Coordinates of all heavy atoms in Angstrom, one line a residue:
M18 N 13.4 -3.4 -10.8 CA 12.1 -3.9 -10.9 C 11.3 -3.0 -11.7 O 11.4 -1.8 -11.6 CB 11.5 -4.2 -9.6 CG 10.2 -4.8 -9.6 SD 9.8 -5.5 -8.0 CE 8.0 -5.4 -8.1
S19 N 10.4 -3.5 -12.6 CA 9.6 -2.7 -13.5 C 8.2 -2.4 -12.8 O 7.7 -3.2 -12.1 CB 9.3 -3.4 -14.8 OG 10.5 -3.6 -15.5
T20 N 7.7 -1.2 -13.1 CA 6.4 -0.8 -12.7 C 5.6 -0.9 -14.0 O 5.6 0.0 -14.8 CB 6.3 0.6 -12.1 OG1 7.1 0.6 -10.9 CG2 4.8 0.9 -11.7
R21 N 4.9 -2.0 -14.2 CA 4.1 -2.2 -15.4 C 2.8 -1.6 -15.4 O 2.2 -1.4 -14.3 CB 4.0 -3.7 -15.7 CG 5.3 -4.4 -15.8 CD 5.2 -5.9 -15.9 NE 4.5 -6.5 -14.9 CZ 3.7 -7.6 -15.0 NH1 3.6 -8.2 -16.2 NH2 3.0 -8.1 -14.0
A22 N 2.3 -1.2 -16.5 CA 1.0 -0.5 -16.6 C 0.3 -0.8 -17.9 O 0.9 -1.4 -18.8 CB 1.2 1.0 -16.5
Q23 N -0.9 -0.4 -18.0 CA -1.7 -0.6 -19.2 C -2.3 0.8 -19.5 O -2.7 1.6 -18.6 CB -2.8 -1.6 -19.1 CG -2.3 -3.0 -19.0 CD -3.5 -3.9 -18.6 OE1 -3.9 -3.9 -17.5 NE2 -3.9 -4.8 -19.5
I24 N -2.5 1.0 -20.8 CA -3.2 2.2 -21.3 C -4.4 1.7 -22.1 O -4.3 1.0 -23.1 CB -2.3 3.1 -22.2 CG1 -1.0 3.4 -21.5 CG2 -3.1 4.3 -22.6 CD1 0.1 3.9 -22.4
A25 N -5.6 1.9 -21.5 CA -6.9 1.4 -22.2 C -7.4 2.6 -23.1 O -7.6 3.7 -22.6 CB -7.9 1.0 -21.1
I26 N -7.7 2.2 -24.3 CA -8.2 3.2 -25.3 C -9.5 2.6 -25.9 O -9.5 1.5 -26.4 CB -7.2 3.5 -26.4 CG1 -6.0 4.1 -25.7 CG2 -7.8 4.4 -27.4 CD1 -4.8 4.3 -26.6
Q27 N -10.6 3.3 -25.8 CA -11.8 2.9 -26.4 C -11.8 2.9 -27.9 O -11.5 4.0 -28.5 CB -13.0 3.7 -25.8 CG -14.3 3.1 -26.2 CD -15.5 3.6 -25.4 OE1 -15.4 4.7 -24.9 NE2 -16.6 2.9 -25.4
I28 N -12.1 1.8 -28.5 CA -12.0 1.7 -30.0 C -13.4 1.3 -30.6 O -13.6 1.2 -31.8 CB -11.0 0.7 -30.5 CG1 -11.2 -0.7 -29.9 CG2 -9.6 1.2 -30.1 CD1 -10.3 -1.8 -30.5
G29 N -14.4 1.1 -29.7 CA -15.7 0.7 -30.1 C -16.6 0.8 -28.9 O -16.2 1.0 -27.8
P30 N -18.0 0.6 -29.1 CA -18.9 0.8 -28.0 C -18.5 -0.1 -26.7 O -18.6 0.4 -25.6 CB -20.2 0.3 -28.5 CG -20.1 0.5 -30.0 CD -18.6 0.2 -30.3
D31 N -18.2 -1.3 -27.0 CA -17.8 -2.2 -25.9 C -16.4 -2.8 -26.2 O -16.2 -4.0 -25.9 CB -18.8 -3.3 -25.7 CG -20.1 -2.8 -25.1 OD1 -20.1 -2.0 -24.2 OD2 -21.2 -3.3 -25.6
Q32 N -15.5 -2.0 -26.7 CA -14.2 -2.5 -27.1 C -13.1 -1.5 -26.6 O -13.1 -0.3 -27.0 CB -14.0 -2.7 -28.6 CG -14.9 -3.8 -29.2 CD -14.6 -3.9 -30.6 OE1 -14.5 -3.0 -31.4 NE2 -14.5 -5.2 -31.1
W33 N -12.2 -2.0 -25.8 CA -11.1 -1.2 -25.3 C -9.8 -1.9 -25.5 O -9.6 -3.1 -25.1 CB -11.3 -1.0 -23.7 CG -12.4 -0.1 -23.4 CD1 -13.7 -0.4 -23.4 CD2 -12.3 1.2 -23.0 NE1 -14.4 0.6 -23.0 CE2 -13.6 1.7 -22.7 CE3 -11.2 2.1 -22.8 CZ2 -13.9 3.0 -22.3 CZ3 -11.5 3.4 -22.4 CH2 -12.8 3.8 -22.1
A34 N -8.9 -1.3 -26.3 CA -7.6 -1.9 -26.5 C -6.7 -1.6 -25.3 O -6.8 -0.4 -24.8 CB -7.0 -1.2 -27.8
H35 N -6.0 -2.6 -24.8 CA -5.2 -2.4 -23.6 C -3.7 -2.5 -24.0 O -3.2 -3.6 -24.3 CB -5.5 -3.5 -22.6 CG -6.8 -3.2 -21.9 ND1 -8.0 -3.3 -22.5 CD2 -7.1 -2.9 -20.6 CE1 -9.0 -3.0 -21.7 NE2 -8.4 -2.7 -20.5
I36 N -3.1 -1.3 -24.1 CA -1.7 -1.3 -24.6 C -0.8 -1.5 -23.3 O -0.9 -0.8 -22.3 CB -1.4 0.1 -25.3 CG1 -2.0 0.1 -26.6 CG2 0.1 0.3 -25.5 CD1 -3.5 0.3 -26.6
Y37 N 0.2 -2.4 -23.5 CA 1.1 -2.7 -22.4 C 2.2 -1.7 -22.3 O 2.8 -1.4 -23.4 CB 1.6 -4.2 -22.6 CG 2.7 -4.6 -21.7 CD1 2.4 -4.9 -20.4 CD2 4.0 -4.7 -22.2 CE1 3.4 -5.4 -19.6 CE2 5.0 -5.2 -21.3 CZ 4.7 -5.5 -20.0 OH 5.7 -5.9 -19.2
C38 N 2.6 -1.3 -21.1 CA 3.8 -0.5 -20.9 C 4.7 -1.2 -19.9 O 4.2 -1.5 -18.7 CB 3.4 0.9 -20.4 SG 4.8 1.9 -20.1
H39 N 5.9 -1.6 -20.2 CA 6.7 -2.5 -19.5 C 7.3 -1.8 -18.2 O 7.4 -2.4 -17.2 CB 7.9 -3.0 -20.3 CG 8.7 -4.0 -19.6 ND1 8.2 -5.2 -19.3 CD2 10.0 -4.0 -19.2 CE1 9.2 -5.9 -18.7 NE2 10.3 -5.2 -18.6
F40 N 7.8 -0.6 -18.3 CA 8.4 0.0 -17.1 C 8.1 1.5 -17.0 O 7.7 2.1 -17.9 CB 9.9 -0.3 -16.9 CG 10.8 0.2 -17.9 CD1 11.4 1.4 -17.8 CD2 11.1 -0.6 -19.0 CE1 12.3 1.9 -18.7 CE2 12.0 -0.1 -20.0 CZ 12.6 1.1 -19.8
D41 N 8.3 2.0 -15.8 CA 8.1 3.4 -15.4 C 6.6 3.7 -15.5 O 6.2 4.8 -15.9 CB 8.9 4.4 -16.2 CG 10.4 4.4 -15.8 OD1 10.7 3.9 -14.7 OD2 11.2 4.9 -16.5
G42 N 5.7 2.8 -15.2 CA 4.3 3.0 -15.3 C 3.6 3.7 -14.1 O 2.4 3.8 -14.1
Y43 N 4.4 4.1 -13.1 CA 3.9 4.8 -12.0 C 3.3 6.2 -12.3 O 3.8 6.8 -13.3 CB 4.9 4.9 -10.8 CG 6.2 5.5 -11.3 CD1 6.4 6.9 -11.1 CD2 7.2 4.8 -11.8 CE1 7.6 7.5 -11.5 CE2 8.4 5.3 -12.2 CZ 8.6 6.7 -12.1 OH 9.8 7.3 -12.5
P44 N 2.3 6.7 -11.7 CA 1.6 7.9 -12.1 C 2.4 9.1 -12.2 O 2.3 9.9 -13.1 CB 0.5 8.1 -11.0 CG 0.3 6.7 -10.5 CD 1.6 6.0 -10.6
L45 N 3.4 9.3 -11.3 CA 4.2 10.5 -11.3 C 4.9 10.6 -12.6 O 5.1 11.7 -13.2 CB 5.2 10.5 -10.1 CG 6.1 11.7 -10.0 CD1 5.2 13.0 -9.7 CD2 7.1 11.6 -8.8
H46 N 5.4 9.5 -13.1 CA 6.1 9.5 -14.4 C 5.1 9.5 -15.6 O 5.2 10.3 -16.5 CB 7.0 8.3 -14.6 CG 7.6 8.2 -16.0 ND1 8.6 9.0 -16.4 CD2 7.2 7.4 -17.0 CE1 8.9 8.6 -17.7 NE2 8.0 7.7 -18.1
M47 N 4.1 8.6 -15.6 CA 3.3 8.3 -16.7 C 2.4 9.5 -17.1 O 2.2 9.8 -18.3 CB 2.4 7.1 -16.5 CG 3.1 5.8 -16.7 SD 3.5 5.4 -18.4 CE 2.0 4.9 -19.0
L48 N 1.8 10.1 -16.1 CA 0.8 11.2 -16.5 C 1.5 12.4 -17.2 O 1.0 12.9 -18.1 CB 0.1 11.6 -15.2 CG -0.9 10.6 -14.7 CD1 -1.5 11.0 -13.4 CD2 -2.0 10.3 -15.7
S49 N 2.7 12.7 -16.7 CA 3.4 13.8 -17.4 C 4.0 13.3 -18.8 O 4.0 14.1 -19.7 CB 4.6 14.4 -16.5 OG 5.5 13.4 -16.2
A50 N 4.5 12.1 -18.8 CA 5.0 11.6 -20.1 C 3.9 11.4 -21.1 O 4.1 11.6 -22.3 CB 5.7 10.2 -19.9
L51 N 2.7 10.9 -20.7 CA 1.6 10.7 -21.6 C 1.0 12.0 -22.2 O 0.4 12.0 -23.2 CB 0.5 9.9 -20.9 CG 0.6 8.4 -20.9 CD1 -0.5 7.8 -19.9 CD2 0.5 7.8 -22.2
A52 N 1.2 13.1 -21.5 CA 0.6 14.3 -21.8 C 0.8 14.7 -23.3 O -0.1 15.3 -23.9 CB 1.0 15.5 -20.9
R53 N 1.9 14.4 -23.8 CA 2.3 14.8 -25.2 C 1.6 13.9 -26.3 O 1.4 14.2 -27.4 CB 3.8 14.7 -25.4 CG 4.2 14.8 -26.9 CD 5.7 14.9 -27.0 NE 5.9 15.2 -28.4 CZ 6.6 14.4 -29.2 NH1 7.1 13.3 -28.7 NH2 6.8 14.7 -30.4
W54 N 1.2 12.7 -25.9 CA 0.7 11.7 -26.8 C -0.8 11.6 -26.9 O -1.5 11.6 -25.9 CB 1.3 10.3 -26.4 CG 2.8 10.4 -26.3 CD1 3.6 10.4 -25.1 CD2 3.7 10.5 -27.4 NE1 4.9 10.5 -25.4 CE2 5.0 10.5 -26.8 CE3 3.6 10.5 -28.7 CZ2 6.2 10.6 -27.6 CZ3 4.7 10.6 -29.5 CH2 6.0 10.6 -28.9
T55 N -1.3 11.3 -28.1 CA -2.7 11.2 -28.3 C -3.1 9.7 -28.2 O -2.2 8.8 -28.3 CB -3.1 11.7 -29.7 OG1 -2.5 10.8 -30.7 CG2 -2.7 13.1 -29.9
P56 N -4.3 9.4 -28.1 CA -4.7 8.0 -28.1 C -4.3 7.3 -29.4 O -3.9 6.1 -29.4 CB -6.3 8.0 -28.0 CG -6.5 9.3 -27.2 CD -5.5 10.2 -27.7
E57 N -4.3 8.0 -30.5 CA -3.9 7.4 -31.8 C -2.4 7.1 -31.8 O -2.0 6.0 -32.3 CB -4.2 8.4 -32.9 CG -5.7 8.6 -33.2 CD -6.4 9.6 -32.2 OE1 -5.7 10.3 -31.5 OE2 -7.6 9.5 -32.1
D58 N -1.6 7.9 -31.2 CA -0.2 7.6 -31.0 C 0.0 6.3 -30.3 O 0.9 5.5 -30.6 CB 0.6 8.7 -30.3 CG 0.6 10.0 -31.1 OD1 0.6 10.0 -32.3 OD2 0.6 11.1 -30.4
I59 N -0.7 6.2 -29.1 CA -0.5 5.0 -28.3 C -1.0 3.8 -29.0 O -0.4 2.7 -28.9 CB -1.2 5.2 -26.9 CG1 -0.7 6.5 -26.2 CG2 -1.1 4.0 -26.1 CD1 0.8 6.4 -25.9
L60 N -2.2 3.9 -29.7 CA -2.7 2.7 -30.4 C -1.7 2.3 -31.5 O -1.5 1.1 -31.7 CB -4.0 3.1 -31.1 CG -5.2 3.0 -30.2 CD1 -6.5 3.5 -30.9 CD2 -5.5 1.6 -29.7
A61 N -1.1 3.2 -32.2 CA -0.1 2.9 -33.2 C 1.1 2.2 -32.7 O 1.7 1.3 -33.3 CB 0.3 4.1 -34.0
A62 N 1.5 2.5 -31.4 CA 2.6 1.8 -30.8 C 2.4 0.3 -30.5 O 3.3 -0.5 -30.6 CB 3.0 2.6 -29.5
K63 N 1.2 0.0 -30.1 CA 0.7 -1.4 -29.8 C 1.3 -2.0 -28.6 O 0.6 -2.6 -27.8 CB 1.0 -2.3 -31.0 CG 0.2 -2.0 -32.2 CD 0.5 -3.0 -33.3 CE -0.2 -2.7 -34.6 NZ 0.0 -3.6 -35.6
E64 N 2.6 -1.9 -28.3 CA 3.2 -2.5 -27.1 C 4.4 -1.6 -26.8 O 5.3 -1.4 -27.7 CB 3.6 -3.9 -27.4 CG 4.1 -4.6 -26.2 CD 4.5 -6.1 -26.5 OE1 4.9 -6.4 -27.6 OE2 4.3 -6.9 -25.6
I65 N 4.5 -1.1 -25.6 CA 5.5 -0.1 -25.2 C 6.4 -0.5 -24.1 O 6.0 -1.1 -23.1 CB 4.8 1.2 -24.8 CG1 3.8 1.7 -26.0 CG2 5.7 2.3 -24.4 CD1 2.9 2.8 -25.6
R66 N 7.7 -0.3 -24.3 CA 8.7 -0.6 -23.2 C 8.5 0.6 -22.2 O 8.5 0.3 -21.0 CB 10.1 -0.6 -23.8 CG 10.5 -1.9 -24.4 CD 12.0 -1.9 -24.7 NE 12.3 -3.0 -25.5 CZ 12.4 -3.0 -26.8 NH1 12.2 -1.9 -27.5 NH2 12.7 -4.1 -27.5
Q67 N 8.6 1.8 -22.7 CA 8.5 3.0 -21.8 C 7.9 4.2 -22.6 O 8.3 4.4 -23.7 CB 10.0 3.4 -21.4 CG 10.0 4.6 -20.4 CD 11.4 5.0 -20.1 OE1 12.3 4.9 -20.9 NE2 11.6 5.5 -18.9
V68 N 7.1 4.9 -21.9 CA 6.5 6.1 -22.4 C 7.4 7.3 -21.9 O 7.6 7.4 -20.7 CB 5.0 6.4 -21.9 CG1 4.5 7.7 -22.4 CG2 4.1 5.3 -22.5
R69 N 7.9 8.1 -22.8 CA 8.7 9.3 -22.4 C 8.0 10.4 -23.1 O 7.4 10.3 -24.1 CB 10.1 9.1 -22.8 CG 10.8 8.0 -22.2 CD 12.4 8.0 -22.4 NE 12.7 8.4 -23.7 CZ 13.3 7.6 -24.7 NH1 13.4 6.3 -24.4 NH2 13.6 8.1 -25.9
A70 N 8.3 11.6 -22.6 CA 7.7 12.8 -23.2 C 8.3 13.1 -24.6 O 7.6 13.6 -25.5 CB 8.0 14.0 -22.3
D71 N 9.5 12.6 -24.8 CA 10.2 12.8 -26.1 C 10.1 11.7 -27.1 O 10.3 11.8 -28.3 CB 11.7 13.2 -25.9 CG 12.5 12.0 -25.3 OD1 11.9 11.2 -24.6 OD2 13.7 12.0 -25.6
A72 N 9.7 10.5 -26.6 CA 9.6 9.3 -27.5 C 8.8 8.2 -26.8 O 8.8 8.1 -25.6 CB 11.0 8.8 -27.9
L73 N 8.2 7.3 -27.7 CA 7.6 6.1 -27.2 C 8.7 5.0 -27.6 O 9.0 4.8 -28.7 CB 6.3 5.8 -27.9 CG 5.2 6.8 -27.6 CD1 4.0 6.5 -28.5 CD2 4.8 6.7 -26.2
D74 N 9.2 4.3 -26.5 CA 10.1 3.2 -26.7 C 9.3 2.0 -26.9 O 8.7 1.5 -25.9 CB 11.1 3.2 -25.6 CG 12.1 2.0 -25.7 OD1 12.2 1.4 -26.8 OD2 12.8 1.7 -24.7
C75 N 9.2 1.5 -28.1 CA 8.2 0.4 -28.4 C 9.0 -0.9 -28.7 O 10.1 -0.9 -29.1 CB 7.4 0.8 -29.6 SG 6.5 2.3 -29.4
F76 N 8.3 -2.0 -28.4 CA 8.8 -3.3 -28.8 C 8.7 -3.5 -30.3 O 7.9 -3.0 -31.0 CB 7.9 -4.4 -28.1 CG 8.1 -4.6 -26.6 CD1 7.3 -3.9 -25.8 CD2 9.1 -5.4 -26.2 CE1 7.5 -4.0 -24.4 CE2 9.3 -5.5 -24.8 CZ 8.5 -4.8 -23.9
D77 N 9.7 -4.2 -30.8 CA 9.8 -4.5 -32.2 C 10.2 -5.9 -32.5 O 11.3 -6.3 -32.2 CB 10.8 -3.6 -32.9 CG 10.8 -3.7 -34.4 OD1 9.8 -4.2 -35.0 OD2 11.8 -3.3 -35.0
P78 N 9.2 -6.8 -32.9 CA 7.9 -6.4 -33.3 C 7.0 -6.4 -32.1 O 7.2 -7.1 -31.1 CB 7.5 -7.6 -34.2 CG 8.3 -8.7 -33.7 CD 9.6 -8.2 -33.2
P79 N 5.9 -5.6 -32.2 CA 5.0 -5.5 -31.1 C 3.9 -6.6 -31.1 O 3.6 -7.1 -32.2 CB 4.3 -4.1 -31.2 CG 4.3 -3.9 -32.7 CD 5.6 -4.6 -33.2
R80 N 3.4 -6.9 -30.0 CA 2.2 -7.8 -30.0 C 1.0 -7.0 -30.1 O 1.0 -5.8 -29.7 CB 2.1 -8.6 -28.7 CG 3.3 -9.7 -28.6 CD 3.2 -10.4 -27.2 NE 3.6 -9.4 -26.2 CZ 3.7 -9.7 -24.9 NH1 3.4 -11.0 -24.5 NH2 4.0 -8.8 -24.0
E81 N -0.1 -7.5 -30.7 CA -1.4 -6.8 -30.7 C -1.9 -6.6 -29.3 O -1.8 -7.6 -28.5 CB -2.4 -7.6 -31.6 CG -2.0 -7.6 -33.1 CD -2.1 -6.2 -33.7 OE1 -3.0 -5.4 -33.4 OE2 -1.2 -5.9 -34.6
P82 N -2.5 -5.5 -29.0 CA -3.1 -5.3 -27.7 C -4.4 -6.1 -27.5 O -5.1 -6.3 -28.4 CB -3.4 -3.8 -27.6 CG -3.5 -3.4 -29.0 CD -2.6 -4.3 -29.8
P83 N -4.6 -6.7 -26.3 CA -5.8 -7.4 -26.0 C -7.0 -6.4 -26.1 O -6.9 -5.2 -25.7 CB -5.7 -8.0 -24.6 CG -4.5 -7.3 -24.1 CD -3.7 -6.7 -25.2
I84 N -8.1 -6.9 -26.6 CA -9.3 -6.1 -26.6 C -10.3 -6.6 -25.6 O -10.7 -7.8 -25.6 CB -10.0 -6.1 -28.0 CG1 -9.0 -5.8 -29.1 CG2 -11.2 -5.2 -28.1 CD1 -8.4 -4.4 -29.1
L85 N -10.7 -5.8 -24.6 CA -11.6 -6.2 -23.6 C -12.9 -5.3 -23.6 O -12.9 -4.2 -24.2 CB -10.9 -6.0 -22.2 CG -9.6 -6.8 -22.0 CD1 -8.9 -6.5 -20.7 CD2 -9.9 -8.3 -22.1
P86 N -14.0 -5.7 -23.0 CA -15.2 -5.0 -23.0 C -15.3 -3.7 -22.2 O -16.2 -2.9 -22.3 CB -16.3 -6.0 -22.5 CG -15.5 -6.9 -21.7 CD -14.1 -7.0 -22.3
R87 N -14.2 -3.5 -21.3 CA -14.2 -2.3 -20.5 C -12.7 -2.1 -20.0 O -12.0 -3.1 -20.1 CB -15.1 -2.4 -19.3 CG -14.8 -3.6 -18.4 CD -15.8 -3.7 -17.3 NE -15.6 -4.9 -16.5 CZ -14.8 -4.9 -15.4 NH1 -14.1 -3.9 -15.1 NH2 -14.6 -6.1 -14.8
P88 N -12.4 -0.9 -19.6 CA -11.1 -0.8 -19.0 C -10.9 -1.7 -17.8 O -11.7 -1.8 -16.9 CB -11.0 0.7 -18.5 CG -12.1 1.4 -19.3 CD -13.2 0.3 -19.5
T89 N -9.8 -2.5 -17.8 CA -9.6 -3.5 -16.8 C -8.1 -3.5 -16.4 O -7.2 -3.6 -17.2 CB -9.9 -4.9 -17.4 OG1 -11.2 -4.9 -17.9 CG2 -9.7 -6.0 -16.4
C90 N -7.9 -3.2 -15.1 CA -6.5 -3.1 -14.6 C -6.0 -4.6 -14.3 O -6.5 -5.2 -13.4 CB -6.5 -2.3 -13.3 SG -4.9 -2.0 -12.7
Q91 N -5.0 -5.0 -15.1 CA -4.4 -6.3 -14.9 C -3.0 -6.2 -14.4 O -2.4 -7.2 -14.1 CB -4.4 -7.0 -16.2 CG -5.8 -7.3 -16.8 CD -5.9 -7.9 -18.2 OE1 -5.0 -7.5 -19.0 NE2 -6.8 -8.8 -18.4
L92 N -2.5 -5.0 -14.3 CA -1.1 -4.8 -13.8 C -1.2 -3.8 -12.7 O -2.1 -3.7 -12.0 CB -0.2 -4.3 -15.0 CG -0.2 -5.3 -16.2 CD1 0.5 -4.6 -17.4 CD2 0.5 -6.6 -15.8
C93 N -0.1 -3.0 -12.5 CA 0.0 -2.1 -11.4 C -0.9 -0.8 -11.6 O -1.5 -0.4 -10.6 CB 1.4 -1.6 -11.2 SG 2.5 -3.0 -10.8
H94 N -1.0 -0.3 -12.8 CA -1.7 1.0 -13.0 C -2.4 0.9 -14.4 O -2.0 0.2 -15.3 CB -0.7 2.1 -13.1 CG 0.1 2.3 -11.8 ND1 -0.5 2.9 -10.7 CD2 1.3 1.9 -11.4 CE1 0.4 2.9 -9.7 NE2 1.5 2.3 -10.1
L95 N -3.5 1.6 -14.5 CA -4.3 1.7 -15.7 C -4.6 3.1 -16.0 O -5.1 3.9 -15.1 CB -5.6 0.9 -15.4 CG -6.7 1.0 -16.6 CD1 -6.1 0.3 -17.8 CD2 -8.0 0.3 -16.1
Y96 N -4.4 3.5 -17.2 CA -4.6 4.9 -17.7 C -5.6 4.9 -18.8 O -5.6 4.0 -19.7 CB -3.2 5.5 -18.1 CG -2.2 5.5 -17.0 CD1 -1.3 4.5 -16.9 CD2 -2.2 6.5 -16.1 CE1 -0.4 4.4 -15.9 CE2 -1.3 6.5 -15.0 CZ -0.4 5.5 -14.9 OH 0.5 5.4 -13.9
V97 N -6.4 6.0 -18.9 CA -7.4 6.1 -19.9 C -7.4 7.6 -20.3 O -7.0 8.5 -19.6 CB -8.8 5.7 -19.6 CG1 -8.8 4.2 -19.3 CG2 -9.4 6.5 -18.4
W98 N -7.9 7.9 -21.6 CA -8.1 9.2 -22.1 C -9.5 9.7 -21.7 O -10.5 9.0 -22.0 CB -7.9 9.2 -23.6 CG -8.1 10.5 -24.3 CD1 -9.2 11.0 -24.8 CD2 -7.0 11.5 -24.5 NE1 -8.9 12.2 -25.4 CE2 -7.6 12.5 -25.2 CE3 -5.7 11.5 -24.1 CZ2 -6.9 13.6 -25.6 CZ3 -5.0 12.6 -24.5 CH2 -5.6 13.7 -25.2
R99 N -9.6 10.8 -21.0 CA -10.9 11.3 -20.6 C -10.9 12.8 -20.6 O -10.0 13.4 -20.1 CB -11.2 10.8 -19.2 CG -12.6 11.2 -18.7 CD -13.2 10.5 -17.5 NE -13.4 9.1 -17.8 CZ -13.4 8.2 -16.9 NH1 -13.2 8.5 -15.6 NH2 -13.6 6.9 -17.2
D100 N -11.9 13.3 -21.3 CA -12.1 14.8 -21.4 C -10.8 15.5 -21.9 O -10.4 16.5 -21.3 CB -12.5 15.4 -20.0 CG -13.9 14.8 -19.6 OD1 -14.7 14.6 -20.5 OD2 -14.0 14.6 -18.4
G101 N -10.2 14.9 -22.9 CA -9.0 15.6 -23.5 C -7.7 15.4 -22.8 O -6.7 16.1 -23.1
G102 N -7.6 14.5 -21.9 CA -6.3 14.2 -21.2 C -6.3 12.8 -20.6 O -7.3 12.1 -20.5
W103 N -5.1 12.4 -20.2 CA -4.9 11.1 -19.6 C -5.1 11.2 -18.1 O -4.7 12.1 -17.4 CB -3.5 10.7 -19.8 CG -3.2 10.4 -21.3 CD1 -2.5 11.3 -22.1 CD2 -3.6 9.4 -22.1 NE1 -2.5 10.8 -23.4 CE2 -3.1 9.6 -23.4 CE3 -4.4 8.2 -21.8 CZ2 -3.4 8.7 -24.4 CZ3 -4.6 7.3 -22.9 CH2 -4.1 7.6 -24.2
I104 N -5.8 10.1 -17.5 CA -6.0 10.0 -16.1 C -5.7 8.6 -15.7 O -5.7 7.7 -16.5 CB -7.4 10.3 -15.7 CG1 -8.4 9.4 -16.3 CG2 -7.8 11.8 -16.0 CD1 -9.8 9.4 -15.7
E105 N -5.4 8.4 -14.4 CA -5.2 7.0 -13.9 C -6.6 6.6 -13.3 O -7.2 7.3 -12.5 CB -4.2 6.9 -12.8 CG -4.0 5.5 -12.3 CD -3.1 5.4 -11.1 OE1 -2.8 6.4 -10.4 OE2 -2.7 4.2 -10.8
L106 N -7.1 5.4 -13.7 CA -8.3 4.9 -13.1 C -7.9 4.2 -11.8 O -6.9 3.6 -11.6 CB -9.0 3.9 -14.0 CG -9.6 4.5 -15.2 CD1 -10.4 3.4 -16.0 CD2 -10.6 5.6 -14.9
D107 N -8.9 4.2 -10.9 CA -8.7 3.5 -9.6 C -8.6 2.0 -9.9 O -9.5 1.4 -10.4 CB -9.9 3.8 -8.7 CG -9.9 3.0 -7.4 OD1 -9.0 2.3 -7.1 OD2 -10.9 3.2 -6.7
P108 N -7.5 1.4 -9.5 CA -7.3 0.0 -9.9 C -8.3 -1.0 -9.2 O -8.6 -2.0 -9.7 CB -5.8 -0.3 -9.5 CG -5.4 0.8 -8.6 CD -6.3 1.9 -8.9
T109 N -8.7 -0.6 -8.0 CA -9.6 -1.5 -7.3 C -11.0 -1.5 -7.9 O -11.7 -2.5 -7.9 CB -9.8 -1.2 -5.8 OG1 -10.2 0.2 -5.7 CG2 -8.4 -1.3 -5.1
A110 N -11.4 -0.4 -8.5 CA -12.7 -0.3 -9.2 C -12.6 -0.9 -10.6 O -13.7 -1.2 -11.2 CB -13.1 1.1 -9.3
H111 N -11.5 -1.2 -11.1 CA -11.3 -1.7 -12.5 C -10.5 -2.9 -12.6 O -9.7 -3.1 -13.5 CB -10.8 -0.6 -13.4 CG -11.7 0.6 -13.5 ND1 -11.7 1.6 -12.6 CD2 -12.7 0.8 -14.4 CE1 -12.6 2.5 -13.0 NE2 -13.2 2.0 -14.1
A112 N -10.7 -3.8 -11.6 CA -9.9 -5.1 -11.5 C -10.5 -6.1 -12.5 O -11.7 -6.0 -12.8 CB -9.9 -5.6 -10.1
P113 N -9.8 -7.1 -12.9 CA -10.3 -8.1 -13.7 C -11.5 -8.8 -13.1 O -11.6 -8.9 -11.8 CB -9.2 -9.1 -13.9 CG -8.0 -8.3 -13.6 CD -8.4 -7.3 -12.6
E114 N -12.4 -9.4 -13.9 CA -13.5 -10.1 -13.4 C -13.0 -11.3 -12.4 O -12.1 -12.0 -12.8 CB -14.3 -10.8 -14.5 CG -15.0 -9.8 -15.4 CD -16.2 -9.0 -14.8 OE1 -16.8 -9.6 -14.0 OE2 -16.4 -7.9 -15.2
G115 N -13.6 -11.4 -11.3 CA -13.3 -12.5 -10.3 C -12.1 -12.2 -9.5 O -11.7 -13.1 -8.7
A116 N -11.4 -11.1 -9.7 CA -10.2 -10.8 -8.9 C -10.5 -10.5 -7.5 O -11.5 -9.8 -7.2 CB -9.4 -9.7 -9.6
A117 N -9.7 -10.9 -6.6 CA -9.9 -10.5 -5.2 C -9.6 -9.0 -5.0 O -8.6 -8.5 -5.5 CB -9.0 -11.4 -4.3
Q118 N -10.4 -8.3 -4.2 CA -10.2 -6.9 -4.0 C -10.1 -6.6 -2.6 O -10.5 -7.3 -1.7 CB -11.3 -6.1 -4.6 CG -11.4 -6.2 -6.1 CD -12.4 -5.3 -6.7 OE1 -12.8 -4.3 -6.1 NE2 -12.8 -5.6 -7.9

């Protein structure tokens, strides 16, 4: 079973690209694997099977990431770049509009 995640990257005042990550999206793996990658690297990937410290395993061809007005957790985990590093946002505080919490 996959632990799916999203990586939200701010690309404008009210625009956040949400890059899909298909598996190994749990924090213990993702935070250490993401440490090597910049937001620009992740944006260039567009859609990711797995983030690893040595490579981004990307879909080919990738789908364009959805653009939302704020970081929005639609899967198991949501990561953002803050103060020079990657963090996991609290999924209950960043759930989709109208989602049960």
Side-chain angles (χ1 to χ4, degrees):
M18 184 162 156
S19 298
T20 302
R21 299 176 306 148
Q23 288 170 292
I24 305 165
I26 299 172
Q27 190 166 19
I28 58 172
D31 292 319
Q32 293 184 316
W33 291 76
H35 286 67
I36 289 75
Y37 173 73
C38 181
H39 186 66
F40 64 92
D41 287 344
Y43 53 94
L45 184 62
H46 171 80
M47 281 290 281
L48 291 171
S49 62
L51 277 171
R53 172 174 185 242
W54 305 105
T55 67
E57 294 77 18
D58 295 329
I59 301 299
L60 280 171
K63 297 184 182 178
E64 186 179 33
I65 301 171
R66 281 190 191 92
Q67 181 186 31
V68 175
R69 298 190 322 250
D71 64 334
L73 295 173
D74 179 10
C75 302
F76 286 93
D77 185 20
R80 291 178 290 185
E81 291 294 323
I84 308 299
L85 301 174
R87 62 184 173 85
T89 305
C90 188
Q91 298 173 322
L92 303 170
C93 298
H94 300 280
L95 176 64
Y96 302 94
V97 298
W98 181 264
R99 182 165 296 156
D100 299 325
W103 295 102
I104 63 164
E105 180 186 18
L106 289 183
D107 176 3
T109 58
H111 296 86
E114 296 288 332
Q118 294 187 24

